[in-house]
């Protein structure tokens, strides 16, 4: 028996599912360091455009682009740089 999906947007692999975005003002008022990891091989977004836009809004952002990783592979591949940068950020 074939399975059917109640929400076609979630079943279509070419559709992007996103949550609500925080308001830019809320991000500008954020007064703590932010470490942002971006997948260099993302098919969902232009990595360097996202990095530029985030830097314009977040006052204390440090962006790390992982060049040979896709968005979905990021948690599975875990390049050594990911662990090192997380440790440096969490343990000053």
């Amino acid at each position: 028996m074939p399975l059917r999906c109640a929400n076609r947007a979630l079943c279509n692999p070419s559709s992007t599912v996103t949550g609500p975005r925080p308001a830019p003002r809320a991000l500008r008022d954020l007064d703590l360091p932010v470490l942002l990891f971006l997948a260099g091989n993302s098919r969902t977004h232009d990595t360097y455009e996202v990095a530029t836009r985030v830097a314009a809004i977040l006052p204390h952002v440090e962006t790390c682009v992982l060049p040979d990783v896709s968005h979905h592979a990021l948690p599975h591949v875990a390049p050594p740089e990911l662990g090192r940068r997380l440790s440096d950020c969490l343990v000053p």
Side-chain angles (χ1 to χ4, degrees):
M1 169 171 47
L3 295 175
R4 292 178 45 197
C5 186
N7 184 338
R8 289 211 183 273
L10 295 177
C11 295
N12 183 350
S14 65
S15 67
T16 302
V17 178
T18 61
R21 293 181 181 174
R25 180 184 170 131
L27 294 174
R28 282 188 194 95
D29 292 343
L30 200 59
D31 190 25
L32 61 127
V34 174
L35 178 59
L36 173 65
F37 287 99
L38 294 170
N41 286 344
S42 177
R43 294 186 326 181
T44 305
H45 58 263
D46 179 326
T47 302
Y48 296 97
E49 179 183 331
V50 170
T52 301
R53 291 177 69 191
V54 168
I57 294 174
L58 280 171
H60 306 287
V61 69
E62 180 183 346
T63 302
C64 180
V65 177
L66 301 168
D68 297 321
V69 180
S70 72
H71 173 79
H72 295 288
L74 186 58
H76 304 289
V77 175
E81 184 178 5
L82 177 68
R84 183 182 58 77
R85 297 292 291 269
L86 278 172
S87 293
D88 290 348
C89 181
L90 297 173
V91 183

